[in-house]
Amino acid sequence: MAESMIPIGSISIPLTVPFGLYPIANISIGTPPQPFTVKLDNSGGDLWVPSRKSDLCKVGDCSLAGSFDERRSETAISDDFDNEFRIEYGDSSVYTGILIQDTVNIGEGKITDATFGLVYQSKNIPGNRMDGFVIKGSLGISYDKAQSDRNAHPYTGVLELLVEQGVIARRAYSMWLNSREEIAGHLVLGGVDPTRYDPPLVGLPIVPMTGATSEAMVNVQLSSVICNNCDGESQVRDELVRDAIIDSSTAGIILPSKMARAILKDFGAVTDSLFAWPLVKCDIMDIDASYDFHFAGMYGPKITIPVADLIVPHIPGMKFSNDEDACFLAIKESGREFALF
């Protein structure tokens, strides 16, 4: 692949994709800078990190991901406004604390007086072996300007601040997550790296989500799902147009019930209350089949995913009762009538 080519008016940030699941990035906050490893979230604009007193650090080690001590920062401001912070995600996890302002460094970019959440309490935290680790911070890069209607004090998100302070030229971002075998990629804020895709670059309409009050989510239309070479032929798994949220912080693919159950049946998948994702036999990775996900109607783009790319490799010691190796399937049922990718 050609050497990376970052457009003028944009910045690039290296990403890591642990277990091939979701991207994380390194940032720093405060003066002098305090380092953090945060999960990347394109479905919201909130930046939050744990306080040094957070329960996230009491039940797990924050020495690697980082925790913020506002007393050690010369530029921290925490008492100038109504500062309650609360955010709830689609997996029912909730993080609460206060809003605070400080300098934030993202790659080669720096924004001052950035508002972010300092988290003290959490509940319903997902902690399973597929997730690999409990997230201890999040960097929201949504293009929704006002942040956040979930908090008592609306404020401006990171992407908008980068534009306002002249760090990037426009409210845009792109992610390159590399191949399934690699754990490194990068995020471009302010543009697109033309060396990271084969032209043409196809656009999809971003449509309002049914019942949504915010434009923060990147929502497109999923038109159909087809299994190629399932039992030797192509079989339609669903043809009903549905909302599909493109969400960088979702570990796998979450589908409406009817669609998900049809695919789980293809795999002979089983669910276990101990795990957030279905279990399948690991040798399914060897079958020559794939799924086509069609977007934006009959003439819209199609993304083909080989079955092997939907299987999270064997974790030592995880077996079925017949002693066959068990792997995770990166597709599950949402119980709702929209999809998450």
Side-chain angles (χ1 to χ4, degrees), residues 22-233:
Y22 41 65
I24 59 176
N26 293 323
I27 65 171
S28 64
I29 302 175
T31 309
Q34 299 177 38
F36 294 90
T37 299
V38 292
K39 191 174 179 178
L40 197 66
D41 179 13
N42 73 321
S43 64
D46 298 280
L47 167 63
W48 66 264
V49 295
S51 161
R52 63 186 179 86
K53 298 179 180 179
S54 174
D55 61 354
L56 288 169
C57 300
K58 294 177 182 177
V59 298
D61 187 7
C62 282
S63 61
L64 295 178
S67 62
F68 191 64
D69 185 348
E70 64 272 31
R71 302 173 307 171
R72 292 175 45 219
S73 175
E74 300 170 2
T75 46
I77 303 172
S78 61
D79 57 357
D80 281 3
F81 46 79
D82 181 6
N83 61 356
E84 177 188 353
F85 176 81
R86 182 183 185 277
I87 187 167
E88 180 173 356
Y89 291 103
D91 59 6
S92 299
S93 60
V94 180
Y95 302 86
T96 57
I98 64 171
L99 288 172
I100 187 171
Q101 288 183 329
D102 210 333
T103 298
V104 177
N105 298 285
I106 305 172
E108 296 182 355
K110 179 174 77 171
I111 49 178
T112 58
D113 299 326
T115 302
F116 62 95
L118 187 60
V119 167
Y120 286 88
Q121 299 291 328
S122 60
K123 66 178 182 179
N124 304 329
I125 306 304
N128 59 70
R129 295 175 70 177
M130 182 175 174
D131 284 336
F133 54 88
V134 175
I135 62 169
K136 295 184 174 68
S138 180
L139 173 60
I141 56 169
S142 163
Y143 55 80
D144 195 21
K145 182 175 182 179
Q147 298 300 318
S148 166
D149 56 7
R150 291 164 292 194
N151 299 309
H153 182 83
Y155 60 93
T156 302
V158 168
L159 195 62
E160 182 68 20
L161 278 178
L162 286 166
V163 175
E164 288 183 1
Q165 298 186 19
V167 180
I168 62 176
R170 56 180 176 151
R171 284 194 295 152
Y173 63 86
S174 58
M175 280 179 280
W176 177 67
L177 301 182
N178 213 326
S179 67
R180 182 175 180 271
E181 292 75 23
E182 301 293 334
I183 63 169
H186 74 213
L187 165 72
V188 177
L189 295 172
V192 178
D193 182 350
T195 67
R196 299 305 185 191
Y197 64 88
D198 295 323
L201 184 62
V202 179
L204 275 179
I206 296 176
V207 297
M209 186 173 178
T210 304
T213 58
S214 169
E215 296 181 355
M217 294 181 178
V218 179
N219 185 59
V220 297
Q221 289 188 331
L222 175 64
S223 306
S224 66
V225 179
I226 297 175
C227 182
N228 301 305
N229 202 28
C230 283
D231 297 326
E233 59 184 16

Side-chain angles (χ1 to χ4, degrees), residues 225-280:
V225 179
I226 297 175
C227 182
N228 301 305
N229 202 28
C230 283
D231 297 326
E233 59 184 16
S234 295
Q235 299 181 14
V236 176
R237 288 293 173 258
D238 197 279
E239 286 188 306
L240 182 64
V241 175
R242 303 174 187 273
D243 289 323
I245 301 169
I246 310 302
D247 183 6
S248 63
S249 62
T250 298
I253 299 174
I254 304 176
L255 298 174
S257 298
K258 180 182 177 181
M259 188 186 301
R261 289 171 185 172
I263 294 176
L264 265 59
K265 185 178 179 180
D266 291 337
F267 285 98
V270 297
T271 57
D272 188 316
S273 60
L274 294 176
F275 303 105
W277 297 85
L279 298 170
V280 295

